């Protein structure tokens, strides 16, 4: 059985250039029409609800999420995606070229009335576009048609589901995406010459972390963070320095956060743990694979085009008494300054 995807494609009304689209989607009539559409489809809408809803239609036939639900999803995604808290997020309408310093100029000591030495920086550019991240939530007919949860409960139900799976997929792509139909992750955006291999292949020791720390130029360390898989973090948490009588009695290198909401630290820098990162420490199966990144993540740009779009799928799961809600967003991500990061690899 083929899917019958609503809504119909319609021409949205012309809006004044200074009108905030979110202001339209936050109106009570749009909110009511939006949730009635999700529960009942086009056939269950009153004419005034159809008119209100059509203001939120986009080119692919999906309806723009009403403002309250949009904000809830955005907030929950941000909470569950560790990289969004440290990366630079920019809105885009199409492909956007981001200037990148490929060679930095220098200041020079100059004699009084002496000629100034030019210190021009050389720029290249990184292009950020948009890749579609999509998912479908299956909801029973009874929950859709009935008013068991109400708008507020239904909003939380939908937001929790999509936020969880979108945050997981985003985080994995921002960390280790290959750039093919998805963002290019930070592990794959490190500049040539910014890679540090472990001293002994498949073995991670404190000396390797010291080497990675100093691989990063000092000007980038002030706002730097560590990023690694939980398996790598576990190995590092067990490391001790040489202050004790033996390797088992020294001080732990890992400094746990002392207050709620404060991250753990390594050499004074926050540690971000994501299972979207590669993990091959001690396995002996993946030479030269990345183990950890240390750098200033403000130089990783996340580009977002538009908000979340929802579309009701009437017939795809009809045989099992369910309705599908398809959601998608358009976004990209890339390192904009490769020298702002250093990568520790597993050796070869």
């Amino acid at each position: 059985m083929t899917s019958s995807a609503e809504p119909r494609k319609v021409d949205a009304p012309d809006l004044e250039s200074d009108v905030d689209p979110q202001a339209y989607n936050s109106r009570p009539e749009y909110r009511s029409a939006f949730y009635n559409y999700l529960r009942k489809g086009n056939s269950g809408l009153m004419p005034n609800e159809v008119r209100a809803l059509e203001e939120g239609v986009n080119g692919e036939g999906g309806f723009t999420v009403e403002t309250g639900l949009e904000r809830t999803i955005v907030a929950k995604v941000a909470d569950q995606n560790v990289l969004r808290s440290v990366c630079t997020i920019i809105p885009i309408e199409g492909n956007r070229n981001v200037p990148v310093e490929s060679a930095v100029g220098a200041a020079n000591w100059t004699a009084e009335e002496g000629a100034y030495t030019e210190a021009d920086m050389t720029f290249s550019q990184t292009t950020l576009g948009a890749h579609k991240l999509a998912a479908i939530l299956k909801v029973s007919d009874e929950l859709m048609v009935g008013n068991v949860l109400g708008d507020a409960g239904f909003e939380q139900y939908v937001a929790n589901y999509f936020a969880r799976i979108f945050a997981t997929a985003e985080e994995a792509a921002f960390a280790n995406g290959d750039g093919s139909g998805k963002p290019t992750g930070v592990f794959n955006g490190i500049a040539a010459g910014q890679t540090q291999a472990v001293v002994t292949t498949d073995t991670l020791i404190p000396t390797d972390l010291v080497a990675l720390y100093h691989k990063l130029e000092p000007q980038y360390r002030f706002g730097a963070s560590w990023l690694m898989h939980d398996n790598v973090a576990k190995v590092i948490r067990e490391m001790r320095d040489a202050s004790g009588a033996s390797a088992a009695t020294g001080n732990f290198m890992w400094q746990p956060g002392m207050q709620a909401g404060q991250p753990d630290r390594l050499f004074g820098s926050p540690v971000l743990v994501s299972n979207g990162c590669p993990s091959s420490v001690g396995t002996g199966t993946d030479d030269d694979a990345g183990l950890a990144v240390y750098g200033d993540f403000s130089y990783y740009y996340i580009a977002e085009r538009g908000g979340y779009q929802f579309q009701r799928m009437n017939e795809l799961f009809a045989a099992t008494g369910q309705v599908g809600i398809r959601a998608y967003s358009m976004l990209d991500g890339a390192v904009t300054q490769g020298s702002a990061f250093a990568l520790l690899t597993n050796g070869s």
Side-chain angles (χ1 to χ4, degrees), residues 95-99 125-128:
N95 288 353
R96 179 168 176 178
N97 295 323
V98 179
Q125 62 183 20
T126 295
T127 301
L128 292 170

Side-chain angles (χ1 to χ4, degrees), residues 52-277:
L53 197 60
E54 285 178 351
E55 294 177 3
V57 76
N58 82 331
E60 294 196 26
F63 284 126
T64 303
V65 176
E66 67 93 10
T67 303
L69 179 57
E70 169 90 9
R71 290 174 177 166
T72 302
I73 294 177
V74 169
K76 288 180 178 292
V77 168
D79 287 342
Q80 298 179 49
N81 182 341
V82 298
L83 289 173
R84 279 186 171 267
S85 64
V86 293
C87 296
T88 298
I89 302 174
I90 59 172
I92 61 173
E93 294 182 357
N95 288 353
R96 179 168 176 178
N97 295 323
V98 179
V100 177
E101 298 174 6
S102 54
V104 181
N108 295 275
W109 294 105
T110 305
E112 187 174 352
E113 298 183 356
Y116 282 69
T117 302
E118 294 183 3
D120 291 339
M121 291 184 291
T122 302
F123 288 89
S124 57
Q125 62 183 20
T126 295
T127 301
L128 292 170
H131 304 289
K132 180 183 286 187
L133 181 61
I136 293 179
L137 166 64
K138 294 187 291 185
V139 184
S140 68
D141 291 336
E142 292 79 8
L143 186 59
M144 276 292 203
V145 176
N147 197 30
V148 178
L149 299 175
D151 284 354
F154 191 72
E155 174 185 312
Q156 289 297 318
Y157 175 74
V158 172
N160 288 338
Y161 175 82
F162 283 116
R164 182 175 66 255
I165 60 176
F166 273 87
T168 300
E170 281 186 10
E171 187 176 281
F174 297 154
N176 199 34
D178 59 11
S180 177
K182 64 176 70 69
T184 300
V186 65
F187 271 83
N188 294 312
I190 308 299
Q194 290 296 109
T195 300
Q196 177 71 42
V198 296
V199 174
T200 304
T201 303
D202 297 327
T203 302
L204 183 59
I205 59 176
T207 301
D208 297 321
L209 300 178
V210 174
L212 182 64
Y213 178 87
H214 289 282
K215 190 73 174 179
L216 188 67
E217 295 183 21
Q219 64 264 34
Y220 295 118
R221 294 179 201 157
F222 295 105
S225 300
W226 301 82
L227 176 65
M228 63 193 70
H229 191 281
D230 194 50
N231 292 342
V232 178
K234 179 179 181 297
V235 174
I236 298 175
R237 287 180 73 98
E238 297 172 349
M239 290 182 178
R240 298 174 183 264
D241 62 23
S243 61
S246 68
T249 59
N251 296 318
F252 284 106
M253 298 179 62
W254 189 285
Q255 300 168 347
M258 300 302 292
Q259 297 179 350
Q262 293 297 314
D264 294 337
R265 291 180 177 271
L266 190 60
F267 299 149
S269 297
V271 180
L272 308 175
V273 176
S274 170
N275 281 356
C277 299

Side-chain angles (χ1 to χ4, degrees), residues 28-66:
E29 57 267 35
Y30 187 89
R31 178 183 176 90
S32 175
F34 178 80
Y35 285 112
N36 279 339
Y37 159 72
L38 288 185
R39 289 194 175 105
K40 304 174 185 177
N42 279 336
S43 61
L45 298 179
M46 301 295 291
N48 63 316
E49 292 177 323
V50 173
R51 287 193 297 271
L53 197 60
E54 285 178 351
E55 294 177 3
V57 76
N58 82 331
E60 294 196 26
F63 284 126
T64 303
V65 176
E66 67 93 10

